[in-house]
């Protein structure tokens, strides 16, 4: 019996559910019960009736699942699977930032730690950020963290002034403008799709800007087209399954690596073997203080309510 079969058997025996982000390795996506972006997976985590949640993603995602399911066991195959964007917003410095602007509504992108969420009024994802910003009282100033690129995009889309925290994702800032132009010259019939965590100069030339789930939905509208995709390359596996007739080309990064694309080392820290051992031994698991989970659940629940 191979590892994938063993994992599927263990899921049934332990009444476990595996949630996997689009950026996970293909072999992990194959055994997942649900594959999605941060919003979709948060919704799945909130609605699950399983005893165990295995989150094939990064640490902040597993924390969010635990916050929504404080009584359930939430497992993460590799505890070192962090996030450069979440790391760019340390709780102590962020607390001082908030205290310096006490009149602001605090909106944080879900790519942050549980401690940051607990200081927030609202949490958002790239799928619903614009909707949440537009829902807030126009006479109240807004503080947005941690992603400055998503924040700049939201300012452009909504016309609201946002006070931005200076954070970013190394994966989405790795795209090379020069290489992208060279690639587009070779494929002038392609549509460029970009995630809003990308830098402004990348977004300016994109034909479509959206979340990972939004990119897949957009590609399905043009199932025989050609796309240059500017986000973590792991999305291409599920996207190709959804649009088998489309030609998908990963946007090039500054770094000359084996794939020529932008990959998240944190996302790729999870492997099928780690997933199996994690489920078999039911460790490592996410453990958060009860008071922290209670505070962090408030802005997350507000987000989920606005997203229904």
């Amino acid at each position: 019996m191979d590892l994938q079969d063993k994992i599927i058997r263990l899921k049934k025996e332990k009444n476990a559910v595996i949630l996997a982000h689009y950026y996970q390795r293909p072999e992990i996506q194959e055994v997942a019960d649900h594959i999605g972006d941060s919003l979709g997976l948060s919704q799945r985590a909130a609605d699950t009736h399983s005893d165990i949640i295995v989150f094939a993603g990064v640490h902040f995602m597993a924390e969010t699942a635990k916050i929504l399911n404080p009584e359930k066991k939430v497992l993460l195959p590799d505890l070192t699977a962090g996030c450069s964007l979440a790391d760019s917003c340390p709780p102590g410095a962020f607390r001082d930032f908030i205290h310096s602007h006490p009149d602001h509504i605090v909106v944080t992108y879900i790519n942050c730690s549980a401690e940051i969420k607990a200081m927030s009024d609202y949490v958002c994802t790239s799928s619903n950020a614009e909707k949440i910003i537009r829902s807030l009282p126009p006479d109240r100033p807004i503080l947005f963290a941690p992603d400055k690129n998503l924040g700049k995009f939201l300012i452009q889309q909504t016309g609201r002034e946002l006070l931005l925290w200076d954070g970013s994702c190394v994966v989405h800032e790795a795209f090379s403008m020069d290489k992208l132009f060279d690639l587009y010259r070779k494929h002038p019939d392609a549509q460029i799709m970009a995630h809003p965590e990308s830098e402004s100069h990348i977004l300016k030339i994109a034909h479509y800007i959206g979340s990972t789930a939004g990119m897949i939905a957009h590609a399905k509208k043009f199932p025989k087209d050609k796309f240059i995709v500017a986000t973590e390359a792991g999305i291409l596996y599920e996207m190709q399954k959804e649009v088998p007739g489309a030609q998908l080309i990963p946007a090039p990064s500054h770094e000359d690596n084996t794939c020529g694309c932008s990959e998240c080392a944190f996302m790729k820290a999870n492997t099928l073997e780690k997933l199996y051992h994690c489920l078999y031994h039911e460790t490592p698991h996410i453990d958060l203080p009860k008071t922290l989970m209670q505070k962090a659940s408030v802005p997350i629940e507000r987000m989920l309510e606005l997203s229904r």
Side-chain angles (χ1 to χ4, degrees):
M1 186 181 293
D2 64 18
L3 274 180
Q4 289 185 325
D5 291 334
K6 289 180 180 179
I7 290 168
I8 292 167
R9 186 192 66 191
L10 276 176
K11 281 194 302 181
K12 294 177 182 177
E13 291 176 358
K14 293 174 178 274
N15 188 28
V17 63
I18 297 176
L19 308 179
H21 195 272
Y22 287 125
Y23 297 162
Q24 288 295 292
R25 299 170 185 270
E27 59 270 25
I28 289 178
Q29 294 188 42
E30 284 293 333
V31 297
D33 297 285
H34 305 291
I35 305 164
D37 62 1
S38 293
L39 175 60
L41 294 176
S42 296
Q43 292 168 327
R44 292 292 189 181
D47 294 338
T48 186
H49 298 292
S50 301
D51 296 320
I52 296 173
I53 299 171
V54 184
F55 214 116
V58 293
H59 200 273
F60 78 80
M61 297 177 179
E63 282 188 337
T64 303
K66 181 64 177 178
I67 292 164
L68 291 168
N69 298 275
E71 304 305 320
K72 295 183 186 295
K73 184 173 283 188
V74 177
L75 309 176
L76 182 66
D78 190 329
L79 283 180
T80 68
C83 172
S84 60
L85 178 54
D87 290 345
S88 73
C89 191
F94 189 60
R95 186 177 292 107
D96 293 341
F97 190 57
I98 292 173
H99 288 167
S100 299
H101 305 90
D103 56 336
H104 284 60
I105 298 173
V106 179
V107 181
T108 52
Y109 187 34
I110 199 167
N111 299 37
C112 63
S113 67
E115 289 83 2
I116 300 299
K117 291 180 176 71
M119 298 181 221
S120 308
D121 297 303
Y122 292 86
V123 167
C124 71
T125 72
S126 53
S127 294
N128 60 23
E130 185 177 338
K131 181 178 182 180
I132 287 175
I133 294 298
R134 290 186 185 279
S135 75
L136 300 178
D139 59 335
R140 290 286 306 280
I142 300 170
L143 184 158
F144 185 82
D147 192 274
K148 63 183 178 183
N149 293 321
L150 177 57
K152 291 173 184 176
F153 177 70
L154 291 170
I155 292 170
Q156 179 186 344
Q157 294 300 108
T158 66
R160 293 293 297 266
E161 289 204 21
L162 306 178
L163 178 62
L164 303 180
W165 178 265
D166 187 17
S168 61
C169 165
V170 296
V171 173
H172 288 98
E173 289 201 328
F175 297 113
S176 166
M177 193 69 167
D178 292 339
K179 290 182 180 179
L180 182 56
F181 272 132
D182 288 342
L183 185 62
Y184 188 54
R185 276 193 284 268
K186 294 176 185 175
H187 303 277
D189 54 337
Q191 290 189 52
I192 299 173
M193 295 198 290
H195 194 282
E197 287 181 41
S198 302
E199 293 177 291
S200 298
H201 56 266
I202 298 291
L203 299 183
K204 282 179 183 176
I205 64 169
H207 301 96
Y208 174 81
I209 302 167
S211 66
T212 45
M215 288 184 186
I216 291 175
H218 179 74
K220 289 170 76 172
K221 295 177 183 177
F222 309 93
K224 297 187 184 301
D225 278 18
K226 184 187 295 185
F227 300 94
I228 297 171
V229 185
T231 191
E232 210 274 354
I235 192 179
L236 299 178
Y237 181 71
E238 182 65 20
M239 187 180 286
Q240 196 71 79
K241 286 168 62 178
E242 294 287 338
V243 281
Q247 183 177 349
L248 307 177
I249 308 166
S253 69
H254 292 288
E255 184 182 355
D256 291 321
N257 54 29
T258 53
C259 71
C261 58
S262 190
E263 287 192 320
C264 176
F266 291 120
M267 282 285 185
K268 299 305 190 278
N270 297 313
T271 64
L272 197 64
E273 186 175 7
K274 290 177 184 177
L275 178 59
Y276 168 73
H277 288 294
C278 164
L279 185 52
Y280 183 83
H281 296 289
E282 298 185 17
T283 188
H285 61 87
I286 301 297
D287 188 23
L288 297 170
K290 187 175 181 180
T291 53
L292 177 63
M293 289 193 287
Q294 289 172 338
K295 289 179 181 178
S297 70
V298 175
I300 297 172
E301 292 289 356
R302 285 174 179 161
M303 173 193 76
L304 293 174
E305 182 61 33
L306 282 170
S307 300
R308 290 190 175 98

